[in-house]
Amino acid sequence: MASAAEGDMEAELTRGLQWGFQDLSLNKLATSLGASEQALRLIISIFLGYPLALFYRRYLFYKDSYLIHLFHTFTGLSIAYYNFGTQLYHSLLCIVLQFLILRLMGRTITAVLTTFCVQMGYLLAGYYNTATGTYDIKWTMPHCVLTLKLIGLAIDYYDGGKDQKSLTSEQQIYAIRGVPSLLEVAGFSYFYGAFLVGPQFSMNHYMKLVRGELTDVPGKIPNSTIPALRRLALGLVYLVGYTLLSPHITEDYLLSDDYENGSFWFRCMYMLLWGKFVLYKYVTCWLVTEGVCILTGLGFNDFDEYGAAKWDACANMKVWLFETNPRFTGTIASFNINTNAWVSRYFFKRLKFLGNKVLSQGLSLLFLALWHGLHSGYLVCFQMEFLIVIVERQAASLIRDSPVLSRLASITVLQPVYYLVQQTIHWLFMGYSMTAFCLFTWDKWMKVYKSIYFLGHVFFLSLLFILPYVRKVMVPRKEKLKKME
């Protein structure tokens, strides 16, 4: 008996040591790369999507649907456990609850409202109980992605019970006519190519993947390897750039005495460079996961006018637009595309009954801020986005409608100067907004904002009140325009 007990103890000790050494080696590797262990686990998990996608293509593409759902569920749960351990129960619980809501409440507005309250409430409670003053990779990170998925699922299921004629053309595409099983909801939720960081996609699109419809060659595996590798390669470029520069361009420096003691223009230029650079970690993740989605076929988006297959159904980034467009609205249109599309489809457009587009936009941004977390920095960031977009549209309208400003803006030789000024303003105040987003708490972002005299707020609030008066002077009335013609 004693020897058996000792053998069990030795075996348990051996397993514990093996696990400890694995953690130690992973932690050591993360430290050498200048990253946290959790960040390294996240990156490994995202790249793991490629061998899983190859396995799916080779062995499961046209197999029975239940096998595909099981594969997605098992792999997603495994990734969740690798990253968050037993805390995977949070996602599992919410998925089961969502299935019960759909089955017990049916296609009713009550089910939609219950889903919104339960899923958002659970996410916000998670934020409240796990929040710290820094960004930590924890179970709430993939859970915010899951929350949008499950809310969208409930709304699409509700739309599926309506008369087809009462739906918009967009709603008809996403409306769910059948009744999803628990296995289908689990497979949709845990799909390994999007579980951790997105992108968002609908249940109908996922079911097309399961049925083998998302391919450019009907009856065959999609020719998506090259497009997937292109996105992977681009993601690797951003990953290498971010890894090399991250030790030198940090948000911690914004809080340092060295930053505060620098000249005003130095502080502004550092914020500009940091604001551009800090987004690259998101760009990296989304490009890599997009490649996984393309490889499975989920990225298939029909054909263009020339008959070439499009693979951008899961694109979360328009890289060229992101890097070259000098306007804030261009960055919004090119960054986190599928999440923005989700908010537009399921939130902004559903507020049409308010009869006020600006109010609907403001409420949508408030929802996005809360969805990101409970820190004040999120509210400040999206408040700045709201303000900047309004002012930018005012300025664009003024230049378009003023004959004098239109002529000045169309001078070819000055175009490079205009572009440089626009990009400088664009990324300076993008960095200004991202300062609050990344520093989270009011004492931190307030310190940085004070150091540059609240430049962003002063600049855009001033323009918000000044531009209407400038418009009165620079834009002639219609009667005057007719006389001039």
Side-chain angles (χ1 to χ4, degrees):
M1 292 292 290
S3 63
E6 288 174 0
D8 290 341
M9 289 178 63
E10 288 177 2
E12 187 66 30
L13 181 60
T14 301
R15 285 194 293 270
L17 286 172
Q18 287 176 342
W19 180 257
F21 281 127
Q22 288 172 1
D23 274 359
L24 182 63
S25 59
L26 195 63
N27 186 49
K28 187 176 179 181
L29 177 60
T31 303
S32 66
L33 294 173
S36 67
E37 183 182 333
Q38 278 301 107
L40 184 57
R41 285 182 183 271
L42 173 65
I43 292 296
I44 291 172
S45 301
I46 290 173
F47 279 97
L48 190 61
Y50 285 89
L52 292 175
L54 290 173
F55 181 89
Y56 168 75
R57 286 167 60 93
R58 177 66 177 83
Y59 297 105
L60 293 173
F61 197 81
Y62 281 111
K63 300 301 181 183
D64 292 336
S65 59
Y66 79 92
L67 290 175
I68 297 173
H69 295 312
L70 282 172
F71 176 69
H72 291 158
T73 303
F74 175 75
T75 52
L77 280 168
S78 300
I79 289 171
Y81 182 77
Y82 175 68
N83 284 272
F84 312 110
T86 56
Q87 289 185 330
L88 66 83
Y89 78 84
H90 294 289
S91 59
L92 198 56
L93 175 61
C94 285
I95 290 168
V96 173
L97 282 174
Q98 188 56 49
F99 173 74
L100 292 175
I101 290 171
L102 297 182
R103 283 300 177 93
L104 297 176
M105 296 185 179
R107 302 178 189 272
T108 62
I109 191 65
T110 304
V112 173
L113 294 175
T114 301
T115 294
F116 187 87
C117 292
V118 169
Q119 301 298 349
M120 276 299 292
Y122 198 99
L123 177 65
L124 294 178
Y127 285 148
Y128 180 80
N129 288 305
T130 63
T132 63
T134 58
Y135 183 78
D136 303 312
I137 297 175
K138 45 188 177 287
W139 66 267
T140 53
M141 184 195 70
H143 203 87
C144 69
V145 178
L146 177 64
T147 297
L148 295 191
K149 273 189 178 182
L150 297 179
I151 293 174
L153 173 65
I155 296 174
D156 291 337
Y157 187 66
Y158 169 68
D159 286 344
K162 293 182 179 179
D163 182 3
Q164 192 90 343
K165 295 179 181 178
S166 68
L167 302 176
T168 66
S169 56
E170 182 183 50
Q171 290 169 350
Q172 290 175 18
I173 294 171
Y174 296 102
I176 299 171
R177 298 298 173 184
V179 181
S181 68
L182 178 59
L183 188 58
E184 288 172 344
V185 175
F188 164 67
S189 302
Y190 281 118
F191 174 69
Y192 51 86
F195 170 68
L196 288 173
V197 295
Q200 293 292 328
F201 52 86
S202 68
M203 171 63 92
N204 281 351
H205 194 67
Y206 169 74
M207 291 305 292
K208 286 182 180 179
L209 174 72
V210 174
R211 292 192 297 266
E213 297 175 11
L214 296 181
T215 176
D216 56 332
V217 186
K220 295 183 180 180
I221 295 172
N223 295 312
S224 58
T225 304
I226 299 300
L229 291 178
R230 285 176 184 153
R231 300 312 273 181
L232 171 61
L234 191 54
L236 287 172
V237 170
Y238 276 94
L239 176 61
V240 170
Y242 183 79
T243 303
L244 292 176
L245 293 175
S246 58
H248 310 290
I249 307 177
T250 68
E251 55 258 35
D252 291 337
Y253 185 74
L254 292 169
L255 299 170
S256 68
D257 293 336
D258 192 28
Y259 176 80
E260 192 170 7
N261 293 331
S263 68
F264 173 76
W265 295 112
F266 168 79
R267 295 195 295 271
C268 288
M269 287 307 299
Y270 184 87
M271 182 175 284
L272 182 153
L273 293 172
W274 171 82
K276 176 80 170 180
F277 168 76
V278 73
L279 297 176
Y280 283 176
K281 58 185 175 184
Y282 304 107
V283 177
T284 297
C285 292
W286 290 332
L287 287 173
V288 174
T289 54
E290 183 190 348
V292 174
C293 293
I294 291 172
L295 195 58
T296 62
L298 193 69
F300 181 66
N301 193 22
D302 213 341
F303 299 90
D304 63 19
E305 63 271 25
Y306 304 106
K310 296 188 294 183
W311 299 101
D312 58 354
C314 294
N316 240 359
M317 286 296 307
K318 293 180 180 178
V319 176
W320 182 253
L321 182 65
F322 173 76
E323 294 291 356
T324 60
N325 194 287
R327 299 177 64 172
F328 291 92
T329 48
T331 298
I332 294 169
S334 64
F335 188 82
N336 206 0
I337 297 169
N338 279 287
T339 300
N340 291 335
W342 188 99
V343 173
S344 174
R345 184 164 60 247
Y346 295 113
F347 202 91
F348 175 76
K349 292 178 182 178
R350 306 275 171 166
L351 296 176
K352 190 176 181 180
F353 67 90
L354 294 175
N356 189 314
K357 191 173 181 180
V358 175
L359 178 59
S360 297
Q361 184 183 4
L363 290 174
S364 298
L365 289 173
L366 176 61
F367 168 76
L368 267 177
L370 291 173
W371 174 71
H372 277 89
L374 297 175
H375 289 298
S376 61
Y378 295 128
L379 291 171
V380 172
C381 175
F382 286 100
Q383 165 264 314
M384 279 302 302
E385 178 184 327
F386 185 57
L387 174 61
I388 290 170
V389 168
I390 290 175
V391 171
E392 187 175 74
R393 287 173 179 167
Q394 284 184 348
S397 175
L398 172 62
I399 294 170
R400 183 184 65 246
D401 297 340
S402 168
V404 175
L405 294 179
S406 293
R407 284 194 294 271
L408 283 173
S410 61
I411 298 174
T412 305
V413 71
L414 293 178
Q415 293 303 312
V417 177
Y418 295 151
Y419 182 79
L420 181 61
V421 171
Q422 276 187 289
Q423 282 286 32
T424 302
I425 294 172
H426 171 202
W427 285 112
L428 171 59
F429 294 112
M430 185 62 70
Y432 184 88
S433 303
M434 288 302 297
T435 296
F437 187 92
C438 293
L439 295 182
F440 302 128
T441 58
W442 73 270
D443 57 318
K444 292 181 180 178
W445 57 258
M446 182 69 75
K447 178 183 177 181
V448 180
Y449 280 2
K450 282 181 178 178
S451 72
I452 58 169
Y453 313 111
F454 293 90
L455 180 62
H457 286 86
V458 172
F459 182 75
F460 284 100
L461 285 172
S462 299
L463 287 176
L464 181 67
F465 291 105
I466 291 171
L467 286 178
Y469 294 101
V470 176
R471 184 177 181 84
K472 287 182 180 180
V473 175
M474 300 298 294
V475 179
R477 294 181 179 180
K478 291 182 178 179
E479 295 79 7
K480 291 183 179 180
L481 283 174
K482 287 180 181 179
K483 290 179 181 180
M484 289 173 64
E485 291 174 355

